[in-house]
Amino acid sequence: MEDEKKLIQFQQKIDQDIKIEPRDWMPEKYRQTLIRQISQHAHSEIIGMQPEGNWLTRAPSLRSKKILMAKIQDEAGHGLYLYCAAETLGIKREQFLQWLHEGKAKYSSVFNYPTLTWADMGAVGWLVDGAAIVNQVSLQGTSYGPYARAMVKICMEESFHQRQGFEIMVQLANGTKEQKEMAQDAVNRWWWPSIMMFGPHDSESAHSNQSLKWKIKRESNDELRQRFIDKTIEQGHHLGLIFPDPNLKLNPETNHYDYSPIDWDEFWNVVKGNGAGNRQRLNHHIKAHEDGKWVREAAIAYAKKSNLKQKSA
Ligand code: BYC
């Protein structure tokens, strides 16, 4: 009875757009959904550093190298904000990482595709960050306070990332024949994985109904996907590049672009661990985590020592 009353009050708060804070009462399923989504989001930021890191040593100029480096550092920061937000739900960061390493936690499927050429740094920034921004701008209005606040900060930085990618695409699309071909090839490979980032269609999305009711998600997977497609097509026309979908057409009745059916077999195959890069991404993360053990231990020992000093002072 008591919980039922609390549940009604909780939903009233959500309906009035009052943020839920860590010490507030919340249904266990709300907490679990947030733990899953925020930690997956954090893992995506951190694993997403790998396909870009692949090009740090081969960036074509000092300027592009510095910008790429700054972008990758930003992703690390985004991961940290998100792990902190997730930790407010009562789970320690070590646990999140253990779930990732055991394959129990997911990260965005898109980061399991390889970055084969410099043009991929453009396509990832333009398309992958572009898709992420559409999703994250919406999440600024999520009902859980710490997640919403992390999103505001992340979105500000993310819009630079999208522009970094678009700038590379502009340069290549206006460059030599080979550079233009390289840009086109990157769009051919990254278009569909970016579309898939928004997750399954609404009718197949296991969590959407409840997450929308609790305003963890503010818009559905298909609504966000459509917004991304509509805005990106216009940008592609500006670049003079072609999207790998012959059915992309503006529908005069809906005023949105229609698109071909998505290859969900490919999506689930990658999500289940069989994409080109899944094993490499995870093994690399596990190794980096183990290699960094001494740094964490030293930092904790230092913090303990300075705490002791402060207490005795
Ligand atoms: N990849 O019921 P659904 C970045 C899973 S990184 C893998 O619709 P939900 C960047 C889903 O987890 C930003 N799995 O789920 C960094 C669920 O399985 P579980 C990344 C996916 O949670 C570096 C099942 O499918 N952004 O910007 O309601 C360089 C059913 O789905 C995916 C975020 O993480 C996927 N794409 O909605 C460059 C956004 N999609 O967990 C850029 C935050 C679905 O039951 N997350 N699944 O086993 C979200 O907004 C939501 O979690 C999703 C999915 C829209 C992704």
Side-chain angles (χ1 to χ4, degrees), residues 1 27 29 35 38 41 59 71 114 118 156 162 180 185 207 213 240 242 256 272 282 304:
M1 265 322 257
K29 198 170 166 211
I35 288 172
I38 306 174
H41 196 160
K71 180 181 186 236
W118 174 250
M156 280 185 222
Q162 200 257 359
K180 193 164 179 179
D185 170 60
H207 305 291
K213 192 170 171 229
I242 299 160
H256 293 298
K272 285 180 186 150
L282 217 48
K304 274 188 186 155

Side-chain angles (χ1 to χ4, degrees), residues 50-154:
Q50 292 188 37
E52 296 189 320
N54 186 33
W55 280 90
L56 266 180
T57 53
R58 288 171 288 165
S61 67
L62 182 58
R63 178 180 180 272
S64 58
K65 189 187 184 98
K66 273 167 41 184
I67 295 173
L68 184 62
M69 178 95 82
K71 180 181 186 236
I72 296 172
Q73 279 182 340
D74 281 354
E75 313 294 5
H78 298 174
L80 296 185
Y81 306 152
L82 286 162
Y83 283 128
C84 288
E87 280 184 308
T88 63
L89 293 152
I91 307 275
K92 288 257 172 283
R93 189 169 321 175
E94 274 300 318
Q95 178 65 71
F96 290 127
L97 294 175
Q98 193 183 329
W99 285 332
L100 173 69
H101 295 163
E102 290 170 357
K104 290 183 185 154
K106 293 187 166 71
Y107 57 86
S108 188
S109 53
V110 76
F111 300 117
N112 292 308
Y113 291 83
T115 44
L116 303 178
T117 70
W118 174 250
D120 288 16
M121 292 304 93
V124 167
W126 174 39
L127 300 175
V128 176
D129 283 277
I133 291 169
V134 170
N135 177 292
Q136 294 177 150
V137 165
S138 182
L139 283 173
Q140 288 180 118
T142 190
S143 56
Y144 189 56
Y147 194 19
R149 290 189 285 276
M151 278 300 117
V152 173
K153 209 156 185 276
I154 289 174

Side-chain angles (χ1 to χ4, degrees), residues 36-37 40-42 44-49 52 71 75 106-111 124 128-129 132-133 135-136 139 147 158 161 196-200 204-208 211 217 221 224 267-268 271:
R36 178 184 62 80
Q37 180 168 325
Q40 288 184 179
H41 196 160
S44 303
E45 299 281 357
I46 300 297
I47 297 283
M49 294 160 72
E52 296 189 320
K71 180 181 186 236
E75 313 294 5
K106 293 187 166 71
Y107 57 86
S108 188
S109 53
V110 76
F111 300 117
V124 167
V128 176
D129 283 277
I133 291 169
N135 177 292
Q136 294 177 150
L139 283 173
Y147 194 19
E158 208 78 79
H161 297 179
M196 291 174 191
M197 276 176 80
F198 295 91
E204 304 294 321
S205 162
H207 305 291
S208 274
S211 288
K217 285 163 99 165
N221 297 359
L224 295 170
F267 172 76
W268 288 115
V271 170

